[in-house]
Amino acid sequence: KLEKLIQLLNSKKYGLVWEEHAESVEDEMKTKIPVFVEDESKKINDNPNSEDFNFLLEGDNLHSLHLLEKTHLGKIDVIYIDPPYNTGAKNWKYNNAFVDSKDEFRHSKWISFMNARLKIAKKLLKDSGIIVLTIDDYEIENITLLMNEIFGEKNHLGTVVIKNNPQGRSSVTGFQISHEYALFFGGEKAKIGRLPRTENQVGRYKNKDKYGLFEWRNFRAQYSSESPKMVYPIFVKMDGSDFRIPKLKWNNLTSAWECLEQPKQDEIISMPIDNEGRMRTWKWSIDTLLKNKENEMGVRLDRNKVPSVYYKGRMKTEGMLPYTFWDDPKYSASTFGANLLSEFIGRGKFNYPKSLYAVEDCIRVASGDKKNSLIFDFFAGSGTTGHAVANLNAEDSGNRRFILATNNENNIAEEVTYERMKRVSAGTEKYEAKPMNLKYLKTDFIVKQDFPDVSLEYELLKYITPLVELEFAVDIENPKVQIVITDEQLESLIKYDELVANATLFMHSDIFRDAEQNQILSDLQIKVQEIPNYFFGMELWSK
């Protein structure tokens, strides 16, 4: 009975509960250490104006996530993912077997699969970062609870409904399904960004004065019922030519203004009472009203044809805060997902790509005005996220970078994701080039038992270069970037005069530099960046 009582006390009281499932790719890491190896034949170097590189990581995304733990803890601005929707239609594998609708554990397998990846994703996100996850009705309840648990319910910034299928998709219940969801969760300091205004939204501002475009808005605050000092009478001319504030006195006992005069015969008293008869407040205090009366206010007829005070609403920013329902035709997954993808790589190579413009707007909202954002997608699939980043950079001359991770099942990484990036970068007959630099890294493994004792450390040193390149977005073939692993390497570079002025040396932390070597580096204005000793520390320790 005591054991049962302890078990009850320690069990989860609220939240998502599921049957835990072991994943073979995770078990594999008990005996093997994942490493990255570059496929140099797939390097893209089309942007001479930038020395920064984007990365495409081929392999199981759980292995890629574990390697990114070494290079990108707390460094990612935006994570955008479109995971398998677990529809039961044999479009997702768990432990190398399709999970279909007959699998009694398909929900718990999917949750276990997502839990392992999202826990690492949280570690990679900056305090100001935002993760966006798209999903449909099959798992929306489960994934919302799971993300509440991992990222914190208070960090759920919002859920957007995206009309991605205007034609609708029939369902067994009879409803025509035409939407999916985008869940936005942020770090402690996250703030959502704005979206460009549509033509209709800009068209609202039809009036113009010497200060710019504006629309007339009722001076009554729409919702506020607080701030009693902002509840006061306004005397409005019946012909709509003017308005004024009468003589008033504040009563501390009643917390209200007392009017010390009566309106003239050609004036009416206006109070901030809404259409349902509730007392609200005015938009501004009396002092602010008096400051803005001449240039920013006027009298208009309200919907009841009564002369009322209005103010000039102006576009304070070019963008506007996003709504939670997105129904623009550009979000159609068939038109701007599948059809657009076919124009880059041909038809029939990838099912159900996202609308390019839906992903662009998700990144806009998640990254705000940070034009140097790092965007990560570990369900990269057809590469829509990379394409969206390239488009955004071309639009505002930004320097956003991306990391894409995907497996190579059915040659997706090579024939879809990579091919799309290559053609986005070079351009096609129909689409202007968006030049980028990209490195293609493949996941490989070091078998621990093959390297006893200190030999494992020496073997792992061979695989530090891709991690350095990944962490610092550099290419060691650039003469201004060099990696030094041993004392002998540094001595050789100095001896044979192979150091480049104003370069960056990524140097192993075990290297000891004497005064003469430091002086040479200083004279050449070479920056020394210490290679983190944590790259494979855990694997060496656990051995």
Side-chain angles (χ1 to χ4, degrees), residues 345-362:
I345 64 171
R347 290 193 175 275
K349 294 185 177 181
F350 189 86
N351 295 324
Y352 312 118
K354 282 283 177 287
S355 161
L356 173 64
Y357 306 111
V359 178
E360 279 186 21
D361 281 353
C362 283

Side-chain angles (χ1 to χ4, degrees), residues 6-274:
I6 293 172
Q7 185 179 357
L8 284 170
L9 288 171
N10 292 326
S11 64
K12 184 182 289 188
K13 303 299 186 297
Y14 173 80
L16 186 63
V17 180
W18 71 94
E19 183 81 17
E20 292 278 2
H21 293 269
E23 198 168 348
S24 58
V25 292
E26 196 158 24
D27 288 339
E28 193 173 19
M29 287 186 286
K30 294 176 182 177
T31 57
K32 299 178 181 179
I33 300 173
V35 293
F36 282 134
V37 178
E38 183 179 0
D39 183 344
E40 296 182 5
S41 69
K42 290 185 171 63
K43 182 162 76 171
I44 300 173
N45 203 350
D46 292 342
N47 187 1
N49 297 321
S50 175
E51 294 182 353
D52 292 339
F53 272 76
N54 303 289
F55 290 85
L56 174 53
L57 314 178
E58 177 198 309
D60 190 281
N61 59 10
L62 189 58
H63 295 147
S64 294
L65 282 161
H66 275 291
L67 284 166
L68 284 166
E69 274 191 280
K70 306 174 187 301
T71 60
H72 284 81
L73 279 178
K75 294 181 180 179
I76 305 291
D77 294 289
V78 176
I79 297 176
Y80 174 91
I81 54 173
D82 178 39
Y85 283 9
N86 198 24
T87 63
K90 289 190 175 182
N91 60 357
W92 171 59
K93 285 184 176 182
Y94 191 82
N95 288 347
N96 300 315
F98 281 114
V99 179
D100 60 24
S101 57
K102 296 178 182 178
D103 191 326
E104 294 181 356
F105 294 98
R106 73 181 175 99
H107 289 292
S108 58
K109 285 179 179 178
W110 187 84
I111 296 167
S112 294
F113 171 86
M114 292 302 301
N115 181 58
R117 287 154 179 79
L118 289 172
K119 284 195 297 187
I120 300 175
K122 184 182 185 235
K123 297 178 185 177
L124 305 183
L125 207 60
K126 287 182 177 178
D127 287 345
S128 58
I130 292 177
I131 180 170
V132 188
L133 182 146
T134 55
I135 200 70
D136 70 1
D137 286 306
Y138 284 96
E139 295 287 358
I140 179 63
E141 296 94 347
N142 290 331
I143 198 62
T144 302
L145 285 172
L146 182 62
M147 293 187 76
N148 280 344
E149 188 170 302
I150 293 173
F151 294 93
E153 186 176 356
K154 69 180 187 302
N155 294 319
H156 185 184
L157 304 175
T159 297
V160 174
V161 179
I162 303 176
K163 189 175 181 180
N164 66 327
N165 188 355
Q167 297 79 24
R169 170 173 57 84
S170 61
S171 67
V172 294
T173 64
F175 282 96
Q176 293 276 6
I177 299 172
S178 60
H179 72 283
E180 64 181 5
Y181 307 94
L183 280 70
F184 289 75
F185 279 76
E188 298 293 333
K189 300 178 181 178
K191 291 182 179 179
I192 63 169
R194 295 174 178 265
L195 290 177
R197 295 179 188 269
T198 65
E199 290 184 8
N200 288 337
Q201 290 163 346
V202 173
R204 288 170 41 195
Y205 299 87
K206 297 176 181 177
N207 302 289
K208 187 175 183 180
D209 60 14
K210 62 182 179 179
Y211 300 107
L213 296 172
F214 67 90
E215 66 170 346
W216 287 109
R217 297 175 185 168
N218 195 298
F219 188 54
R220 183 184 66 245
Q222 189 172 0
Y223 299 111
S224 176
S225 58
E226 301 176 1
S227 305
K229 284 198 173 183
M230 292 174 69
V231 179
Y232 48 85
I234 299 177
F235 290 178
V236 182
K237 290 265 191 180
M238 282 190 259
D239 63 3
S241 61
D242 199 6
F243 69 90
R244 66 185 178 92
I245 303 296
K247 295 178 182 178
L248 302 172
K249 179 182 177 183
W250 180 254
N251 187 323
N252 286 320
L253 293 176
T254 61
S255 293
W257 290 106
E258 294 179 1
C259 190
L260 303 180
E261 62 174 302
Q262 295 296 317
K264 297 177 181 177
Q265 288 187 345
D266 62 344
E267 293 178 327
I268 59 173
I269 300 175
S270 183
M271 295 293 292
I273 299 172
D274 66 19

Side-chain angles (χ1 to χ4, degrees), residues 229-499:
K229 284 198 173 183
M230 292 174 69
V231 179
Y232 48 85
I234 299 177
F235 290 178
V236 182
K237 290 265 191 180
M238 282 190 259
D239 63 3
S241 61
D242 199 6
F243 69 90
R244 66 185 178 92
I245 303 296
K247 295 178 182 178
L248 302 172
K249 179 182 177 183
W250 180 254
N251 187 323
N252 286 320
L253 293 176
T254 61
S255 293
W257 290 106
E258 294 179 1
C259 190
L260 303 180
E261 62 174 302
Q262 295 296 317
K264 297 177 181 177
Q265 288 187 345
D266 62 344
E267 293 178 327
I268 59 173
I269 300 175
S270 183
M271 295 293 292
I273 299 172
D274 66 19
N275 295 323
E276 296 180 4
R278 290 173 296 188
M279 182 66 75
R280 299 298 192 184
T281 70
W282 293 121
K283 181 77 174 176
W284 298 325
S285 67
I286 293 174
D287 288 342
T288 304
L289 179 150
L290 295 174
K291 289 178 184 177
N292 288 281
K293 182 176 184 293
E294 182 177 348
N295 295 319
E296 297 296 322
M297 303 184 75
V299 178
R300 315 277 292 178
L301 293 179
D302 65 16
R303 64 177 62 183
N304 298 317
K305 307 299 182 184
V306 176
S308 302
V309 178
Y310 279 68
Y311 73 101
K312 296 176 181 180
R314 302 183 186 275
M315 280 195 297
K316 294 182 179 179
T317 62
E318 293 183 4
M320 64 180 300
L321 292 173
Y323 291 102
T324 54
F325 181 66
W326 297 0
D327 63 344
D328 194 296
K330 70 181 181 179
Y331 300 134
S332 167
S334 58
T335 304
F336 299 105
N339 293 345
L340 187 147
L341 178 63
S342 69
E343 293 172 358
F344 282 87
I345 64 171
R347 290 193 175 275
K349 294 185 177 181
F350 189 86
N351 295 324
Y352 312 118
K354 282 283 177 287
S355 161
L356 173 64
Y357 306 111
V359 178
E360 279 186 21
D361 281 353
C362 283
I363 294 173
R364 279 192 178 98
V365 171
S367 62
D369 57 0
K370 294 177 283 190
K371 294 183 181 181
N372 294 316
S373 299
L374 176 59
I375 295 93
F376 177 39
D377 182 351
F378 53 91
F379 287 100
S382 69
T384 308
T385 299
H387 194 165
V389 171
N391 274 10
L392 292 172
N393 283 338
E395 180 183 294
D396 62 11
S397 301
N399 190 36
R400 301 169 186 84
R401 293 184 294 109
F402 63 78
I403 300 173
L404 308 180
T406 182
N407 62 36
N408 198 33
E409 189 174 307
N410 300 320
N411 298 319
I412 286 174
E414 295 178 296
E415 297 180 4
V416 179
T417 324
Y418 171 72
E419 285 299 321
R420 183 177 191 174
M421 293 303 96
K422 188 169 69 172
R423 292 172 194 184
V424 167
S425 181
T428 67
E429 291 182 3
K430 199 170 179 181
Y431 292 93
E432 184 180 348
K434 309 287 192 308
M436 69 176 73
N437 301 326
L438 179 138
K439 279 178 168 284
Y440 190 112
L441 305 182
K442 292 184 175 183
T443 305
D444 201 351
F445 295 93
I446 302 298
V447 180
K448 292 183 181 182
Q449 66 180 20
D450 290 348
F451 299 94
D453 304 321
V454 75
S455 62
L456 178 60
E457 182 174 2
Y458 293 132
E459 181 65 18
L460 289 172
L461 282 175
K462 299 176 183 178
Y463 299 93
I464 279 183
T465 295
L467 295 180
V468 171
E469 291 182 314
L470 182 60
E471 177 167 2
F472 299 100
V474 296
D475 177 19
I476 62 163
E477 290 188 10
N478 182 340
K480 289 190 174 182
V481 178
Q482 293 173 296
I483 293 180
V484 182
I485 302 297
T486 65
D487 291 291
E488 290 75 20
Q489 273 184 283
L490 179 60
E491 292 169 6
S492 177
L493 288 171
I494 293 173
K495 180 178 180 180
Y496 295 104
D497 198 23
E498 294 177 350
L499 292 172

